[in-house]
Amino acid sequence: MQKILNYINGEWLDSPTTEYFEVINPATGEIIARTPLGPASVIEAAARAANEALPGWRRTPVQERVQYLFKLRDLMKANADEIAQAIVNEAGKTFEEAKAEMVRAYENVEVACGMPMLMKGEISEDIAPGIDEIMLRQPVGVCATIAPFNFPGMIPFWYLPYALAAGNTYLVKPSERVPVTMQIIFRLIEQVGFPKGVVNLVNGGKESVDAILEHPVIRAVTFVGSTSVAKYIYSTAAAHGKRVQAQGGAKNPVIILPDADMEMAVKITADSAFGCAGQRCLATSLAITVGEARNEFNEAICDAAASRTVGYGLEAGIQMGAVINQASKTRIEQLIGVGASEGVSIPVDGRGTVIKGYEKGSFVRPTILMDVQPGSETWQTEIFGPVLGVMHVNSIEDAIALTNSHRYGNQASLFTSSGAAARKFRYEAEAGNIGINIGVAAPMAFFPFSGWKESFFGDMHGQGMDAVEFFTQKKVVVERWPKEWSRKF
Ligand code: NAD
């Protein structure tokens, strides 16, 4: 069994706790690790180390700071297979999905390596005779990320490389459900040789999160997870005077117009709904057919769902892995049951899935809930599993109105061959990420990543220039140098 340690001030340390969370391989049901849950003294030690490291790291020239990130990027790339294997074994994904996750992780490191350019200040000379105005970007201080289970390798990298490159010091708290991936990544961080205390790993659950939110030295917090926790993080961190961004849950629709390339729309919708077993914040969970698109789409999406190969993600040919644990499987199956009681038909039903050889795994096969009704529980609730609700409307206006009536706004997609329809949708849809003939509109590392409405609480987003904004604070300097003084020289 893998031992889960914290990495604080350049040292691997055990947690002084008797409380643990059992980490189970979702495909095999084996216990693979035990995550120490707290105590708060771990956060205290990490925050202190990060605070002590701050002046030295801040004074390290930015072009030197990014040299550490260049090394980290190379190590992440060279060790991508080992990291991906850990992701499969703790998060239940397929190997290809886990590899793809790591690509986006190191792409963020690559973008952050541009920090000498990205955090450069501005100057206006002679705003009045002999007076110049300068805008500097300085680091915020000690920052922390609280991460969810579904992308154990990638999500901390929406933030960490930008924070470090900008001169902040850092704490990462992974989800207690998937602590192993960060153990491997922090071995690489150790190999890079960052100065002690610059980047720290802290494992734990709610007690650790609360200690981060309340710690006076931690100046900025990023969170990714469910909406209920995101709201809590946002309000608690703000009450403690911190800069905060909190990404929440989602219920992402795709709209299929009658003029769509139907083969493409079905394939991409199925990949979006069932990839990563539906446990992606950008997974499609509702398909809304418009007019004549209905019959052809409904038949084909059922075939696509039923033909997906489900199993252990390290085996060849597997298209979909397990959901995170038995509790999640039970919750997903209960929500499918709620759909049945609400009167939807279930032409493809993934409940009760057992995979031969992996009988203890938490598998749910792809499921289609046909004719979900607006306002029903299956329409409102994020199921976070391989379950696609299908709905029908008569016009693009109705489809956009339905999309915009949802409390979430993470992503919305449209399948069409009409430029005018695409433009209307792009203009009117209320979501932070829009796909046009795309099922997972995941922004590249140099674009901001975030949702709208109840999918996001905050202002600046993750990745790219937004992350630079989040992890720097602007200082404006107005300087007077009278002309007559320069005559002395
Ligand atoms: P979660 O909210 O259960 O946990 C996220 C983190 O919060 C973990 O580190 C956990 O230790 C901590 N936490 C959990 N309960 C807490 C509490 N009561 N108080 C304080 N901290 C607490 O989320 P999850 O199940 O790990 O992740 C899945 C969710 O994340 C889904 O809702 C998904 O949509 C969302 N997500 C959103 C995005 C996005 O970009 N919007 C990306 C990935 C995942």
Side-chain angles (χ1 to χ4, degrees), residues 15 48 63 66 124 170 204 207 211 269 275 305 317 326-327 331 410 446:
S15 285
R48 198 179 327 116
Q63 64 276 20
V66 298
S124 273
Y170 217 65
E207 188 184 345
T269 300
Q326 288 293 338
R331 192 184 54 81
N410 213 34
F446 39 88

Side-chain angles (χ1 to χ4, degrees), residues 262-321:
M262 200 53 76
E263 199 181 321
M264 178 174 77
V266 170
K267 184 189 175 307
I268 292 178
T269 300
D271 287 346
S272 175
F274 309 129
C276 298
Q279 300 171 118
R280 264 192 295 222
C281 66
L282 296 179
T284 293
S285 40
L286 294 169
I288 306 170
T289 58
V290 176
E292 288 165 11
R294 184 181 201 166
N295 292 345
E296 193 182 345
F297 179 83
N298 286 4
E299 199 182 321
I301 196 72
C302 288
D303 290 347
S307 62
R308 215 136 185 111
T309 315
V310 180
Y312 179 29
L314 287 181
E315 286 187 352
I318 294 300
Q319 294 172 306
M320 194 183 99

Side-chain angles (χ1 to χ4, degrees), residues 146-151 155 158 173-177 204-206 209-210 223-227 229 232-233 247-250 280-281 382 384 410 449 455:
I146 300 159
F149 82 81
N150 65 327
F151 285 94
I155 285 179
W158 292 350
K173 194 213 80 69
S175 164
E176 60 275 33
R177 290 187 261 181
K206 180 168 169 50
V209 171
D210 287 343
F223 169 85
V224 181
S226 56
T227 287
V229 182
Y232 170 74
I233 301 282
Q247 318 256 8
R280 264 192 295 222
C281 66
E382 179 185 39
F384 220 54
N410 213 34
F449 191 161
S455 296

Side-chain angles (χ1 to χ4, degrees), residues 38 53 57 66-67 72 98 116 119 139 197 206 220 250 306 318 389 397 481 484:
W57 184 242
V66 298
Q67 299 309 313
L72 178 59
M119 75 179 294
K206 180 168 169 50
I318 294 300
E397 286 77 16
W481 296 105
E484 44 285 16

Side-chain angles (χ1 to χ4, degrees), residues 76-77 80-81 83-109 147-158 174 178 180-182 185 275-276 279-280 324 442-443 445 449 463:
M76 285 168 74
K77 207 169 172 193
D81 282 5
I83 301 170
Q85 196 162 331
I87 294 173
V88 172
N89 282 330
E90 68 177 355
K93 296 188 185 201
T94 68
F95 188 66
E96 286 68 29
E97 289 166 349
K99 284 277 291 231
E101 164 174 355
M102 287 318 298
V103 172
R104 184 53 46 83
Y106 64 68
E107 282 175 354
N108 270 287
V109 182
F149 82 81
N150 65 327
F151 285 94
M154 175 183 74
I155 285 179
F157 282 86
W158 292 350
V178 290
V180 179
T181 301
M182 275 297 141
I185 290 177
C276 298
Q279 300 171 118
R280 264 192 295 222
I324 186 67
F449 191 161
Q463 300 197 145

